[in-house]
Amino acid sequence: MRIAILGKPFSDETAPFIQVLFDELIRRKADLYVVDHFKQFLSNTINIPEYVQSFNRGDQLEGVDVVFSIGGDGTLLDSVTYVGARQIPIMGINTGRLGFLATIPHDSITAALDALYKGRYTLDDRALIRVDSDLDVFDGINFGLNEFSVLKQDTSSMIVVHTYIDGEYLNSYWADGLVVATPTGSTGYSLSCGGPLVLPQTNNFVISPVCPHNLNVRPMIVSDKSVISFEVEGRSSSYLASLDSRSVAVDMTVQLAVRRERFTARLVKLHHVNFLSTLRNKLNWGYDKRNVLLG
C-alpha cells in the first residue's frame, strides 16, 4: 500500500503512538511519503527510516492509496487541499483536542491500521464548497470542506453583506459577517453562530449570520445546487474572506460567489464510527442523564 502522511507537531506524550504507527506501516512494507515540513519534525522526534520520501503542496501524489492526517480537525481540513480533485481517501488520526472529523484516537492506531488493511471501512464522500471571484483570492486553492465566511476586519463597525441566491436578492445582513457552511461545516463555525445541525449526506448549504444586528434574522438552509453571491459594504476599505482555516483580506470592490465543488472529499470511516455517535460523544448532543441507558 502506498501512503502519504500529513501532520502537525504533537506533544511528547503522543510520540510513542506515532512511533507505533510508523513501525506498523514499515512492518507491513508500505511505501511512505511524508509532507516535507512534517518529516523534518518527525526526524527530530521519532525514528523513521531514511528511505521515507517527502512531498510538498502541488505534488501529484501519483498512485497513493490513502492519506493519513495526523493532528486535529484543522489538519484534516488542510489535508483536503493537498488531495483536491484526486479524491484520495483520507484517514484522520486525532492528536489534537476535539477530533470531530479526525475520529481515530491516537491510542487506537494499531486497530485502525488492521481495519484499513482488511477492508473493514467505508468511504464517506463529503461535499465541498467552491469560491468563484473576479480576482484569485485563495492562490488557486478555492475549495474547502467546512465553510466560507465573509467577516469584518480590524474595526468595531459592522459590515453589510448583500446576499443573492441564483441572482435573486435574499437579504442585506447588517452583522459582523456571514457564514456559508457545507453539511460537514454545520458542526463548526456555523454551529457557533446558532446554525442548525445538518446530516453529512444532505445536499444543502447553511447560511448563518455572525452577530446580526437584527432580531428577526435567522440561519437559513438552501440547496447546494444554488449559487450564492455577495456584495459587501462597510466603513473599511476591505473585509476578510475565510475558507476553512485560510483567511485573506479582500478589497470591497471584489465580488465573490460560492457553489458546490464538482468533486468531493473522501473520508475513511471505520465501521464502528458514525456521524450520530460522534455528535453524542464529541459535542454531548442531546445529553440527558435519562438517556444513558439508550447509549
Side-chain angles (χ1 to χ4, degrees), residues 173-190:
Y173 293 91
W174 294 73
D176 285 353
L178 194 69
V179 178
V180 181
T182 65
T184 300
S186 71
T187 58
Y189 193 8
S190 176

Side-chain angles (χ1 to χ4, degrees), residues 190-219:
S190 176
L191 177 67
S192 301
C193 297
L197 296 173
V198 180
L199 294 176
Q201 302 308 323
T202 55
N203 300 315
N204 297 310
F205 287 135
V206 180
I207 302 175
S208 301
V210 181
C211 299
H213 194 252
N214 192 313
L215 291 176
N216 59 11
V217 173
R218 294 291 182 267

